[in-house]
Amino acid sequence: MATVQAVKTAQAQKQDITLKGSVELVNEYLYYAVNSILYMRGVYPADMFEDVQKYGMCICDAKDDQLKTYLMNVMKWTSDWMMQDVVTGIVLVILNPDTKDVMERWQFEVSCDKPLLDEDS
């Protein structure tokens, strides 16, 4: 009897992972990853970023309004593309401003399980 009750309780507490929820988590991760890369590589001046507490640690976030708006727009596009399952990866490329040579290339692969995509439709 106690085993049946424990199973019912576990089932009641179970939370489904939806495509939308997963996309939001992945998108948030990408946002902070891009911010950290831009800060750590000195792409923008350090005073355009601030430290924020997230995930139990201190990470970088854009505080410059124009940079933040730009990054939020890019994240909106990536979120839309992930929801439509039309993107397989996001690439951040850092170029030398004078020669346009690639200095660094960061690739984030994304994929969607087809059953999740079908369930959210």
Side-chain angles (χ1 to χ4, degrees):
M1 183 83 128
T3 306
V4 172
Q5 184 61 36
V7 170
K8 287 182 180 180
T9 302
Q11 288 173 341
Q13 292 176 347
K14 178 185 167 195
Q15 293 183 358
D16 290 330
I17 297 174
T18 64
L19 177 59
K20 183 177 180 185
S22 297
V23 166
E24 289 170 0
L25 288 172
V26 169
N27 212 41
E28 183 177 65
Y29 166 79
L30 286 171
Y31 173 79
Y32 287 114
V34 169
N35 270 282
S36 294
I37 293 167
L38 296 175
Y39 170 78
M40 294 171 80
R41 297 305 189 225
V43 175
Y44 293 99
D47 63 355
M48 292 178 76
F49 298 90
E50 62 186 343
D51 291 335
V52 294
Q53 235 3 70
K54 197 75 171 170
Y55 314 115
M57 62 181 152
C58 205
I59 57 177
C60 293
D61 190 12
K63 70 176 180 180
D64 177 81
D65 290 338
Q66 288 181 326
L67 177 57
K68 192 172 200 83
T69 299
Y70 173 75
L71 292 175
M72 294 304 272
N73 284 335
V74 170
M75 293 299 107
K76 171 75 171 96
W77 299 332
T78 59
S79 177
D80 292 346
W81 294 332
M82 285 189 278
M83 286 296 294
Q84 297 168 25
D85 194 27
V86 295
V87 63
T88 58
I90 308 296
V91 179
L92 171 63
V93 177
I94 300 175
L95 301 175
N96 178 311
D98 299 323
T99 65
K100 306 299 183 215
D101 290 336
V102 174
M103 296 172 58
E104 292 186 36
R105 184 177 190 272
W106 296 75
Q107 183 169 330
F108 302 90
E109 294 182 13
V110 295
S111 63
C112 177
D113 294 336
K114 293 299 180 187
L116 274 178
L117 189 61
D118 294 339
E119 288 173 13
D120 282 355
S121 299

